[in-house]
């Protein structure tokens, strides 16, 4: 009995195969470039799934997909995506036609990543926040094993305000941080190059990265005061590739809890356990 999972992005489709009895263990994985035509994108996903199933015996019992954009979960429609071609695309129906014996699940990529981090920790009733810091910034909260959906579109923290009055995403997501570093150094370097200089204690880079870390830590501090989650996980491309950064932000957050009756709130900020596979694992665990 097989589970097929997908994490669909603007540049690549990440696909995986796992067994029904151990959905968190990805037996096979495959990445393909994301085509920019509606039908071609779907065909690429099915083709990738079929490659994963080659040589395997047994039925597909679940197909689970995480993807960005605006989704109509009740109707199984991908309504709109900024960097992908689907518009009111009946994804669930088409997957059901391709795999008639399987249960089909569709969810936002933020929710699937959070689900993977929640369940790999064996959480069931806990309150949990997952924050992704990559080309954008967003978050997801799970409470008592259920996604907190609010009135429909929660977690858009990238559009909250930073201390400068700019959008949080514009100063703390990857492109925003890179723009700040390039502006202050007058150098056209890449973000990995700037981080390498930070680790070498470059006196020009260190205060800029520290200011960026403080901005993120202050936001997380407010989350902990508001919700009192059992854990907050920092994921996404930047955090997954820089565990030292996560550790330093965690220590900053702990420092903000200086009052003795807040001692129990320390140690809540954690790195992703699933890293880049969080979305695939979380989809398989839906």
């Amino acid at each position: 009995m097989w589970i097929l999972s997908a994490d669909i992005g603007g540049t690549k489709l990440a696909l995986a195969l796992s067994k029904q009895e151990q959905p968190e263990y990805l037996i096979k994985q495959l990445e393909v470039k994301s085509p920019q035509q509606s039908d071609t994108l779907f065909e690429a996903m099915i083709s990738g799934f079929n490659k994963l199933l080659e040589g395997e015996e047994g039925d597909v019992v679940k197909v689970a997909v995480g993807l960005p954009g605006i989704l109509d979960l009740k109707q199984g429609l991908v309504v709109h995506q900024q960097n992908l071609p689907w518009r009111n695309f009946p994804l669930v129906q088409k997957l059901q036609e391709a795999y008639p014996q399987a249960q089909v699940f569709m969810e936002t990529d933020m929710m699937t990543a959070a689900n993977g981090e929640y369940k790999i920790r064996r959480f069931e009733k806990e309150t949990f926040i997952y924050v992704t810091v990559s080309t954008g910034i967003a978050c997801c909260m799970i409470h008592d094993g259920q996604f907190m959906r609010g009135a429909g579109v929660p977690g858009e923290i990238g559009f909250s305000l930073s201390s400068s009055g700019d959008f949080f995403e514009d100063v703390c997501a990857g492109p925003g941080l890179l723009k700040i570093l390039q502006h202050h150094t007058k150098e056209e370097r890449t973000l990995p190059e700037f981080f390498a200089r930070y680790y070498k204690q470059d006196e020009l880079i260190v205060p800029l990265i520290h200011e960026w870390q403080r901005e993120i830590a202050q936001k997380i501090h407010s989350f902990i005061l508001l919700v009192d989650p059992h854990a907050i996980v920092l994921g996404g491309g930047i955090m997954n590739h820089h565990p030292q950064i996560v550790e330093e932000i965690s220590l900053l957050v702990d420092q903000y809890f200086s009052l003795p009756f807040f001692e129990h709130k320390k140690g809540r900020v954690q790195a992703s356990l699933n890293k880049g596979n969080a979305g695939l694992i979380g989809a398989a665990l839906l």
Side-chain angles (χ1 to χ4, degrees):
M1 300 294 187
W2 299 105
I3 296 175
L4 293 167
S5 55
D7 188 4
I8 300 178
T11 58
K12 68 178 181 180
L13 304 179
L15 310 172
L17 181 71
S18 57
K19 290 184 177 180
Q20 184 181 24
E21 58 268 27
Q22 290 183 310
E24 67 272 26
Y25 296 108
L26 306 180
I27 295 173
K28 294 182 184 179
Q29 292 180 250
L30 177 69
E31 287 187 1
V32 297
K33 185 178 178 180
S34 297
Q36 293 304 306
Q37 292 78 39
S38 179
D39 289 337
T40 309
L41 177 60
F42 181 76
E43 290 167 3
M45 179 169 60
I46 296 299
S47 175
F49 280 157
N50 290 339
K51 286 181 181 178
L52 291 173
L53 289 166
E54 286 178 2
E56 306 294 351
E57 296 182 358
D59 297 326
V60 175
V61 295
K62 182 195 291 187
V63 181
V65 180
L67 65 166
I70 300 172
L71 311 179
D72 184 335
L73 298 176
K74 290 184 178 180
Q75 300 296 322
L77 299 176
V78 181
V79 178
H80 179 84
Q81 295 171 304
Q82 189 70 20
N83 299 314
L84 287 165
W86 285 334
R87 301 292 182 270
N88 293 311
F89 187 79
L91 179 59
V92 170
Q93 176 188 329
K94 283 186 168 290
L95 285 171
Q96 199 71 73
E97 291 170 355
Y99 302 99
Q101 305 302 316
Q103 286 185 295
V104 176
F105 297 88
M106 178 180 73
E107 189 52 88
T108 68
D109 53 358
M110 178 59 59
M111 298 288 195
T112 55
N115 189 51
E117 294 294 331
Y118 188 82
K119 290 181 176 174
I120 200 172
R121 288 169 169 76
R122 301 293 185 258
F123 285 174
E124 294 180 356
K125 298 293 184 179
E126 288 83 355
T127 302
F128 170 86
I129 297 175
Y130 177 83
V131 180
T132 182
V133 182
S134 188
T135 53
I137 294 181
C139 74
C140 169
M141 186 165 74
I142 301 175
H143 172 69
D144 199 21
Q146 302 294 318
F147 294 125
M148 299 295 288
R149 299 187 187 275
V153 189
E156 298 289 354
I157 61 169
F159 297 102
S160 63
L161 297 181
S162 68
S163 60
S164 66
D166 297 309
F167 286 138
F168 183 51
E169 184 170 287
D170 289 342
V171 296
C172 287
L177 174 60
L178 178 60
K179 185 177 179 180
I180 290 169
L181 290 166
Q182 290 178 338
H183 172 75
H184 283 276
T185 62
K186 311 299 182 186
E187 299 176 25
E188 294 296 320
R189 294 183 181 272
T190 66
L191 199 52
E193 288 173 329
F194 281 122
F195 273 122
R197 289 171 61 182
Y198 170 72
Y199 296 134
K200 293 178 181 179
Q201 296 296 300
D202 185 307
E203 62 181 14
L204 186 59
I205 305 302
V206 166
L208 298 172
I209 295 294
H210 282 177
E211 178 59 32
W212 169 74
Q213 289 176 315
R214 281 193 293 270
E215 195 75 53
I216 294 173
Q218 288 166 10
K219 191 73 70 173
I220 291 171
H221 176 251
S222 67
F223 292 170
I224 295 175
L225 289 172
L226 177 66
V227 180
D228 198 25
H230 295 82
I232 292 184
V233 167
L234 295 183
I238 292 178
M239 297 304 174
N240 289 341
H241 287 97
H242 297 281
Q244 178 179 323
I245 294 294
V246 176
E247 183 177 351
E248 290 172 357
I249 291 174
S250 178
L251 291 173
L252 266 179
V253 174
D254 287 353
Q255 289 173 18
Y256 296 155
F257 289 114
S258 57
L259 297 172
F261 49 81
F262 281 149
E263 189 70 23
H264 67 288
K265 294 185 184 291
K266 294 182 179 181
R268 303 286 182 90
V269 181
Q270 304 172 10
S272 167
L273 297 178
N274 293 319
K275 304 299 182 185
N277 286 331
L280 285 170
I281 293 171
L285 288 167
L286 287 172

